[in-house]
């Protein structure tokens, strides 16, 4: 069925290059990171206030720390899927650089496709993060071994 997409419609589509998509992703990371930062700040303040009023202790409660970690996953997911599905396939970064995320039939993607897309982004992030840590860890271990 993929071959049955109207080829005439594809001639009017201009695909964004790597650097435009990269710049749009950076804008989206900054916006999503800012929203996550605000949410983490709110959870931390709530934790301090609740813990102080209950125990008189000015320490951070571990339950809001779980919410903080959860917000690191939920905030980018909500931001991206909302804009991909409800706002014509354009996040703020995409809108700034005139990029649209569309399905093969040139319509806005569905929530299912947006969720799969986010899952792939998350998997890519985890793999890259793991590889960077593995490489940096190897160099640090080598440096420690050579310095003795």
């Amino acid at each position: 069925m993929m071959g049955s997409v109207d080829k005439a419609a594809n001639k009017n589509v201009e695909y964004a290059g790597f650097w435009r998509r990269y710049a749009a992703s950076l804008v989206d990371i900054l916006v999503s990171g800012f929203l996550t930062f605000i949410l983490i700040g709110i959870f931390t303040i709530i934790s301090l206030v609740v813990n102080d009023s209950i125990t008189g202790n000015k320490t951070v409660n571990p339950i809001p720390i779980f919410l903080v970690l959860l917000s690191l996953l939920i905030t980018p997911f909500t931001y991206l899927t909302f804009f991909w599905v409800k706002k014509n396939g354009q996040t703020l970064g995409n809108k700034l650089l005139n990029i649209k995320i569309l399905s093969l039939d040139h319509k806005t993607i569905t929530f299912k496709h947006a969720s799969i897309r986010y899952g792939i982004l998350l998997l890519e992030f985890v793999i890259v993060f793991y590889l960077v840590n593995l490489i940096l860890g190897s160099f640090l271990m080598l440096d420690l071994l050579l310095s003795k």
Side-chain angles (χ1 to χ4, degrees):
M1 273 274 175
M2 283 203 169
S4 66
V5 174
D6 186 17
K7 294 188 189 257
N10 282 340
K11 290 182 181 177
N12 296 333
V13 175
E14 178 189 342
Y15 293 98
F18 172 79
W19 292 110
R20 274 180 57 204
R21 289 183 288 130
Y22 184 75
S25 294
L26 285 179
V27 170
D28 292 333
I29 288 169
L30 289 173
V31 171
S32 178
F34 179 72
L35 294 173
T36 304
F37 179 74
I38 289 173
L39 198 58
I40 288 171
I42 291 169
F43 285 145
T44 304
I45 290 169
I46 290 171
S47 169
L48 289 171
V49 169
V50 168
N51 204 31
D52 187 35
S53 66
I54 293 173
T55 64
N57 205 355
K58 293 196 184 303
T59 59
V60 177
N61 194 352
I63 293 174
I65 290 175
F66 169 74
L67 293 175
V68 165
L69 295 175
L70 192 62
S71 71
L72 291 172
L73 292 174
I74 299 287
T75 307
F77 174 77
T78 305
Y79 168 76
L80 291 172
T81 54
F82 173 76
F83 280 99
W84 285 339
V85 175
K86 297 292 183 188
K87 295 292 182 179
N88 259 357
Q90 288 186 302
T91 60
L92 297 177
N94 288 354
K95 193 170 192 88
L96 184 69
L97 292 161
N98 199 22
I99 299 172
K100 267 189 176 181
I101 307 292
L102 299 173
S103 64
L104 286 176
D105 56 357
H106 303 287
K107 295 180 181 171
T108 305
I109 62 174
T110 63
F111 180 76
K112 176 183 173 185
H113 289 127
S115 299
I116 292 170
R117 191 176 172 88
Y118 179 75
I120 292 170
L121 283 173
L122 187 61
L123 184 63
E124 288 173 358
F125 174 77
V126 168
I127 290 171
V128 169
F129 184 76
Y130 175 74
L131 288 175
V132 167
N133 279 323
L134 184 68
I135 292 168
L136 289 177
S138 299
F139 282 122
L140 290 174
M141 288 301 291
L142 183 62
D143 187 43
L144 285 173
L145 291 173
L146 293 177
S147 67
K148 287 186 179 185

